[in-house]
Amino acid sequence: LLFCSQVLWEVVSRCITGAYKRPFGEFPQMTMEFQILIQAAKNNLRPSIPNSLPLPFKQLIEQMWHGNPAVRPAATEVIEDLEAMRKSWVEDPTVWE
């Protein structure tokens, strides 16, 4: 789920900022994927989450990339959470803006 959390981070970051941002782009010294993998594994380094991201998305991303695999949700739980967020948005989009 670490890879999926990165993809989710990219999607929500793009939706919020309107522009593509490279994951870990705030760390210019890391130019190769293996550096990111090492820093993520050893130092629990993660990309910054946009402040304007709705809390349910932020919590899901943080849970998905948690350093302890036992804490990470199963893929079915991620789907359920995303479906619940969609339902909440459909019911009242103003809460999400």
Side-chain angles (χ1 to χ4, degrees):
L1 281 179
L2 282 173
F3 177 73
C4 293
S5 63
Q6 180 175 320
V7 171
L8 183 57
W9 178 91
E10 288 182 68
V11 169
V12 297
S13 180
R14 173 77 181 245
C15 288
I16 287 173
T17 65
Y20 174 76
K21 291 176 69 176
R22 185 178 66 85
F24 297 92
E26 70 254 39
F27 306 104
Q29 71 279 12
M30 294 189 335
T31 59
M32 298 183 190
E33 295 295 321
F34 76 88
Q35 292 172 305
I36 293 171
L37 293 172
I38 291 169
Q39 291 299 317
K42 284 188 171 182
N43 300 320
N44 205 30
L45 185 69
R46 303 291 187 258
S48 298
I49 297 175
N51 291 331
S52 57
L53 183 65
L55 186 59
F57 271 112
K58 180 181 184 211
Q59 290 172 332
L60 179 60
I61 290 171
E62 288 174 341
Q63 190 178 14
M64 289 171 69
W65 69 27
H66 196 281
N68 180 353
V71 176
R72 296 180 202 147
T76 54
E77 293 173 287
V78 172
I79 292 168
E80 289 170 4
D81 287 347
L82 290 171
E83 287 176 350
M85 285 184 243
R86 185 193 65 78
K87 183 179 178 185
S88 173
W89 178 80
V90 167
E91 290 173 358
D92 187 3
T94 61
V95 174
W96 291 84
E97 295 177 6

